[in-house]
């Protein structure tokens, strides 16, 4: 059984933002603001007192069948990232997004929380699958989203929201940390070609 807690997720996002600052992407003001925000999150009763949610592994086929009805709505930002002239049919969600919590929900028959099994495939995983069957790499793209310099202020009141909308409803609670942690490439796009020999 998986255990998801909103405070754990938010602290993880803050941690990723702090690691990016450690690597030189942000200044002292950013680091001090993140540390202050961590203290604020730890002191917030709506988070500290939240019981968390037990989540089971769900059925992958059922999860994608349910998602297919809304998959291509404007809310799915993967399409904007891949519409830059790269090969749509050979793409996958970037492994970093899975790390950040972008996992397909697979709600059970009685509405119980569930996640579809999701894998963080490395570049080597793709190559180990492609090369033995005669495919060679022509191109590999990781389109980066356009930078968003307009980071909103955190809300005055923290509302956790329903599990079905996590992590999307949690990200606005820590907008600066979210912008730093989620500044990732959403897709990995491969162009393979079958070897002529």
């Amino acid at each position: 059984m998986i255990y998801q807690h909103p405070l754990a997720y938010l602290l993880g996002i803050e941690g990723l933002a702090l690691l990016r600052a450690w690597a030189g992407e942000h200044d002292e003001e950013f680091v001090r603001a993140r540390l202050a925000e961590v203290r604020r999150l730890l002191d917030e009763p709506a988070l500290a007192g939240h019981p968390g949610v037990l989540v089971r592994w769900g059925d992958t086929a059922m999860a994608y069948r349910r998602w297919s009805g809304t998959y291509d709505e404007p809310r799915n930002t993967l399409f904007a990232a891949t519409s830059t002239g790269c090969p749509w049919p050979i793409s996958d969600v970037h492994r970093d997004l899975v790390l950040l919590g972008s996992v397909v929900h697979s709600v059970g028959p009685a509405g119980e929380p569930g996640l579809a099994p999701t894998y963080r495939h490395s570049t080597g995983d793709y190559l180990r699958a492609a090369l033995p069957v005669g495919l060679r790499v022509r191109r590999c793209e990781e389109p980066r989203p356009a930078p968003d310099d307009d980071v909103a202020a955190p809300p005055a009141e923290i509302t956790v929201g329903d599990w079905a909308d996590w992590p999307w409803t949690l990200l606005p609670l820590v907008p600066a940390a979210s912008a730093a942690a989620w500044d990732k490439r959403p897709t990995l796009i491969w162009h393979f070609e079958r070897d002529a020999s």
Side-chain angles (χ1 to χ4, degrees):
M1 203 50 105
I2 305 158
Y3 177 68
Q4 293 186 334
H5 195 286
L7 180 58
Y9 182 80
L10 293 170
L11 293 178
I13 293 297
E14 293 286 355
L16 289 171
L18 285 166
L19 285 176
R20 294 191 75 171
W22 185 269
E25 295 182 35
H26 300 283
D27 61 11
E28 179 181 356
E29 180 182 354
F30 178 86
V31 171
R32 292 192 182 280
R34 299 290 58 74
L35 295 174
E37 194 162 67
V38 166
R39 289 184 195 97
R40 179 179 70 91
L41 294 171
L42 290 170
D43 290 340
E44 173 56 48
L47 293 171
H50 196 283
V53 177
L54 289 175
V55 183
R56 62 169 183 72
W57 286 115
D59 180 80
T60 302
M62 182 60 72
Y64 280 93
R65 196 172 301 120
R66 284 185 181 154
W67 191 23
S68 67
T70 59
Y71 182 76
D72 55 0
E73 289 182 353
R75 196 172 117 169
N76 188 347
T77 58
L78 291 178
F79 288 119
T82 57
S83 63
T84 58
C86 299
W88 281 49
I90 310 168
S91 66
D92 195 6
V93 68
H94 200 284
R95 65 184 308 221
D96 288 348
L97 262 62
V98 176
L99 170 71
L100 290 167
S102 182
V103 179
V104 177
H105 288 189
S106 178
V107 179
E112 63 272 18
L115 296 177
T118 306
Y119 307 97
R120 294 182 60 228
H121 299 293
S122 69
T123 303
D125 292 336
Y126 291 102
L127 295 176
R128 281 187 292 282
L131 298 178
V133 296
L135 296 176
R136 65 185 176 104
V137 178
R138 294 285 308 213
R139 193 167 150 194
C140 181
E141 299 288 338
E142 297 176 272
R144 187 181 242 358
D148 185 5
D149 295 330
D150 296 330
V151 176
E157 184 178 320
I158 290 185
T159 304
V160 174
D162 186 58
W163 173 87
D165 298 321
W166 292 357
W168 317 116
T169 56
L170 299 176
L171 293 170
L173 301 179
V174 290
S178 294
W182 276 83
D183 181 23
K184 303 286 184 205
R185 293 160 165 81
T187 54
L188 179 62
I189 303 170
W190 291 95
H191 179 180
F192 289 109
E193 183 174 82
R194 187 164 299 279
D195 200 346
S197 58

